[in-house]
Amino acid sequence: WSGRLEYWQRFWGRVSEWFLSFSKMIHEAREAHQEKRRLARVSQETKIEVLLQQAREAIQREDLSDLEEAEEKLIEIVSLDDKYFPAFFDLGDVYLKMKKYLEAKQTWIYALRLLELRGEKDKEAEVLFCLSEVNEALGDLAAARDNLQEALAISPNNPRYLDSILNLCIIGKDKAAAREYLAKLAEVNPENQKLEELAETVAEIDK
């Protein structure tokens, strides 16, 4: 009996050692997998940052070949992360500079949806401003004006938005609205050197 007891003690001792060794191996493998995933995320984030910087440098040069290079890099970014707002925002700018207005509009609409999901209102205003530019380029002045009104609902004292919507009102010969936005522009940006000229232009509407 003592011999048999000793045998089983040694057997279960080895089983226990094996189980502990196996558990340790599983734990280490799990940790290694998590570390690999973490490094992959870091690596992707770094790649995106590098590509974005390269794209922005190309955009600044503004030659067609540079804009095409920027387009390629930004598309590569969104293939890695289809919710990365900066890439979509810059891609819309690239298309606007390339006069691919429909592509610019579609890209900025998608960027706007991303921001709406996140509730980032300040950035929404800037995308709406960009949409107003592309809609004006497409000849849809009503849509451009709607975009600016939405932007001003978010950022009512932005002089760029006010200046743009004032110009649209002048083009559309909407004298009452032009006077309203001129007054607001003068209030928020009294140093604007174009105020006198704009006032004369507004006064000439319908004369």
Side-chain angles (χ1 to χ4, degrees), residues 95-111:
Y95 287 139
L96 182 65
K97 286 179 166 64
M98 294 171 77
K99 298 185 178 181
K100 293 183 176 181
Y101 299 129
L102 289 175
E103 288 90 337
K105 182 173 181 176
Q106 291 166 357
T107 303
W108 276 326
I109 287 173
Y110 183 81

Side-chain angles (χ1 to χ4, degrees), residues 49-79:
E49 289 173 3
V50 170
L51 287 168
L52 185 65
Q53 180 61 33
Q54 291 173 342
R56 287 177 171 173
E57 289 172 359
I59 291 169
Q60 290 176 354
R61 294 192 291 271
E62 292 198 350
D63 290 333
L64 179 59
S65 61
D66 292 316
L67 291 172
E68 289 172 345
E69 176 190 342
E71 179 188 11
E72 289 177 5
K73 292 185 183 299
L74 293 168
I75 288 174
E76 185 175 353
I77 292 173
V78 300
S79 72

Side-chain angles (χ1 to χ4, degrees), residues 82-150:
D82 63 0
K83 293 182 175 57
Y84 191 70
F85 167 78
F88 285 103
F89 184 81
D90 288 358
L91 186 57
D93 187 40
V94 168
Y95 287 139
L96 182 65
K97 286 179 166 64
M98 294 171 77
K99 298 185 178 181
K100 293 183 176 181
Y101 299 129
L102 289 175
E103 288 90 337
K105 182 173 181 176
Q106 291 166 357
T107 303
W108 276 326
I109 287 173
Y110 183 81
L112 188 62
R113 297 295 173 264
L114 289 178
L115 294 177
E116 288 172 349
L117 290 172
R118 300 176 189 175
E120 297 183 42
K121 286 291 184 182
D122 289 341
K123 291 180 181 178
E124 281 184 41
E126 191 61 22
V127 176
L128 286 163
F129 175 75
C130 293
L131 278 170
S132 76
E133 288 187 305
V134 77
N135 276 320
E136 184 175 359
L138 287 166
D140 192 346
L141 301 186
R145 186 165 164 178
D146 287 344
N147 295 145
L148 287 167
Q149 287 174 333
E150 288 183 66

Side-chain angles (χ1 to χ4, degrees), residues 143-207:
R145 186 165 164 178
D146 287 344
N147 295 145
L148 287 167
Q149 287 174 333
E150 288 183 66
L152 284 165
I154 298 168
S155 183
N157 295 325
N158 188 299
R160 280 194 308 140
Y161 305 169
L162 288 166
D163 184 70
S164 292
I165 199 167
L166 171 57
N167 283 320
L168 288 178
C169 291
I170 290 170
I171 292 170
K173 300 187 181 299
D174 186 343
K175 191 169 188 175
R179 281 177 171 171
E180 177 187 343
Y181 289 118
L182 176 63
K184 183 66 175 178
L185 181 62
E187 178 187 335
V188 302
N189 188 21
E191 304 302 318
N192 190 324
Q193 296 181 357
K194 296 194 303 179
L195 287 173
E196 185 175 345
E197 180 184 345
L198 286 168
E200 291 175 0
T201 302
V202 172
E204 290 295 318
I205 293 176
D206 290 335
K207 278 192 176 181

